[in-house]
Amino acid sequence: AQSVTQLGSHVSVSEGALVLLRCNYSSSVPPYLFWYVQYPNQGLQLLLKYTSAATLVKGINGFEAEFKKSETSFHLTKPSAHMSDAAEYFCAVSPAGNNRKLIWGLGTSLAVNP
Amino acid sequence: NAGVTQTPKFQVLKTGQSMTLQCAQDMNHEYMSWYRQDPGMGLRLIHYSVGAGITDQGEVPNGYNVSRSTTEDFPLRLLSAAPSQTSVYFCASSPRLAGDEQFFGPGTRLTVL
């Protein structure tokens, strides 16, 4: 069965520091990959997605992610954290093929300290 | 466009009561889904629909019913509320199943006493 693993349910960084949120997936074929962000008391919104074009994907708010097939990873990074980045981040996979429902990771809560 | 709208924002029910959570989208999306979000459990798919008149179960469908009579609307019915259904419910829509962004509503926070 397909699965998504987000390493670290809580990540804390200082303002201005590098943000690295990890996501690994299991899939026998190259999937579609997504990162969503959820700000407090809001719905989810798309940060970025990988759909088999460039392996380095740039998203909104300065975030980017790199698809590494050999490592089955799609880690999210941002060079310099801002206080407004504090949120819950979800990685999701849409496996290629007939069954295309999104498979979600459990989420990583990012805290940004002043 | 209003996007995906959900009503109500908050609801408190007593055990055994029934209610309908409303979801509507104005983007002419084929695919709509309902999720519940619980602490430490991420998002779990309750039911989904790939078009008007077509619905299917997700991973946690028990205690919930859905219907899709129009492209725009996808209500979620709780038949007999239980405390285990206390959660935040999100509706989402997307143009098709694979590779397309899912657009989320703002959520309904439900408490069952």
Side-chain angles (χ1 to χ4, degrees):
Chain A
Q2 310 283 354
S3 65
V4 175
T5 302
Q6 291 185 238
L7 295 176
S9 58
H10 298 278
V11 171
S12 181
V13 300
S14 298
E15 191 173 19
L18 172 71
V19 175
L20 171 60
L21 304 182
R22 300 177 187 273
C23 174
N24 288 88
Y25 66 92
S26 67
S27 176
S28 58
V29 296
Y32 299 109
L33 294 154
F34 305 83
W35 275 101
Y36 284 81
V37 61
Q38 183 182 31
Y39 297 105
N41 300 313
Q42 294 187 26
L44 283 74
Q45 64 182 89
L46 183 70
L47 265 181
L48 49 81
K49 66 177 181 180
Y50 167 78
T51 56
S52 74
T55 57
L56 182 62
V57 181
K58 294 187 183 300
I60 62 172
N61 300 339
F63 284 93
E64 61 182 37
E66 185 173 7
F67 172 67
K68 292 187 177 181
K69 183 179 176 181
S70 61
E71 299 178 6
T72 60
S73 68
F74 191 55
H75 301 332
L76 182 70
T77 60
K78 182 174 180 178
S80 177
H82 192 271
M83 296 295 290
S84 60
D85 295 326
E88 188 90 14
Y89 292 81
F90 292 93
C91 181
V93 173
S94 178
N98 290 330
N99 179 10
R100 296 180 173 182
K101 298 189 295 288
L102 284 183
I103 299 167
W104 294 86
L106 296 184
T108 297
S109 177
L110 175 66
V112 181
N113 305 311
Chain B
N1 285 352
V4 180
T5 58
Q6 291 183 239
T7 56
K9 290 188 185 297
F10 302 94
Q11 182 70 49
V12 179
L13 293 178
K14 295 181 179 179
T15 297
Q17 287 184 315
S18 63
M19 79 159 296
T20 300
L21 307 185
Q22 301 292 344
C23 174
Q25 53 93 5
D26 60 359
M27 298 172 282
N28 201 33
H29 286 168
E30 295 178 1
Y31 181 75
M32 296 186 74
S33 56
W34 276 103
Y35 294 93
R36 60 178 290 174
Q37 184 179 30
D38 303 289
M41 303 190 75
L43 289 168
R44 292 184 290 168
L45 183 65
I46 304 172
H47 286 286
Y48 67 98
S49 169
V50 299
I54 306 169
T55 63
D56 205 349
Q57 295 180 351
E59 59 180 301
V60 288
N62 292 341
Y64 307 95
N65 274 359
V66 292
S67 60
R68 183 98 179 267
S69 57
T70 66
T71 299
E72 294 78 19
D73 300 300
F74 191 44
L76 178 72
R77 297 181 186 84
L78 280 69
L79 307 174
S80 177
S84 61
Q85 294 178 304
T86 294
S87 187
V88 181
Y89 292 85
F90 289 100
C91 178
S93 74
S94 67
R96 53 182 184 155
L97 291 178
D100 284 318
E101 173 186 357
Q102 288 199 13
F103 293 81
F104 283 80
T108 294
R109 186 174 295 273
L110 175 68
T111 300
V112 182
L113 302 176

